[in-house]
Amino acid sequence: MSLIMVAIISIKDDDKYLEYQNKVLPMFEELGIEVLAVDDSPRPIEGEARSQRIVVLRFADKEEFNSWYESEAYKAIKPIRLNASNGEIHLLQELNLRF
């Protein structure tokens, strides 16, 4: 079952975040991680608008996510993101309906 990652990000330093983005996007492409959406101006249907970037990724499974997130290559660039932004990351099962 696929795993969906949703990141809600407040960018503090555009230049540093761009540096992070330019390093992480090739990783996604190389590893076959699917970028489903990136939006700096999400349109709220309910609730208040957030002036935050929302990123949605799809991983084949938890192992693929962990393999990327815990990799030495990602650990090397993660501090750039942490210094350039604040945010939250959520992991969701692609389909998790219970009745």
Side-chain angles (χ1 to χ4, degrees):
M1 181 180 300
S2 295
L3 188 70
I4 304 297
M5 185 192 96
V6 177
I8 304 169
I9 304 161
S10 296
I11 298 172
K12 302 183 299 186
D13 183 329
D14 290 333
D15 292 335
K16 283 292 184 187
Y17 196 86
L18 183 59
E19 178 186 347
Y20 165 77
Q21 180 178 296
N22 288 339
K23 292 180 180 191
V24 79
L25 288 177
M27 293 175 95
F28 294 156
E29 188 172 327
E30 180 182 323
L31 296 170
I33 296 166
E34 192 174 357
V35 179
L36 298 177
V38 177
D39 198 333
D40 288 322
S41 302
R43 183 175 61 100
I45 303 302
E46 295 182 11
E48 295 181 31
R50 294 181 178 214
S51 59
Q52 294 172 302
R53 172 176 286 189
I54 297 181
V55 177
V56 182
L57 306 175
R58 176 183 286 133
F59 295 86
D61 50 34
K62 187 176 182 179
E63 289 74 27
E64 183 181 66
F65 170 79
N66 288 334
S67 179
W68 164 70
Y69 192 76
E70 299 297 331
S71 71
E72 293 304 315
Y74 186 66
K75 285 180 182 179
I77 66 169
K78 184 178 171 184
I80 301 169
R81 175 180 60 82
L82 294 175
N83 289 322
S85 65
N86 293 321
E88 52 190 270
I89 297 176
H90 303 270
L91 295 177
L92 313 171
Q93 293 295 323
E94 188 168 29
L95 183 60
N96 191 17
L97 298 175
R98 294 190 178 140
F99 298 94

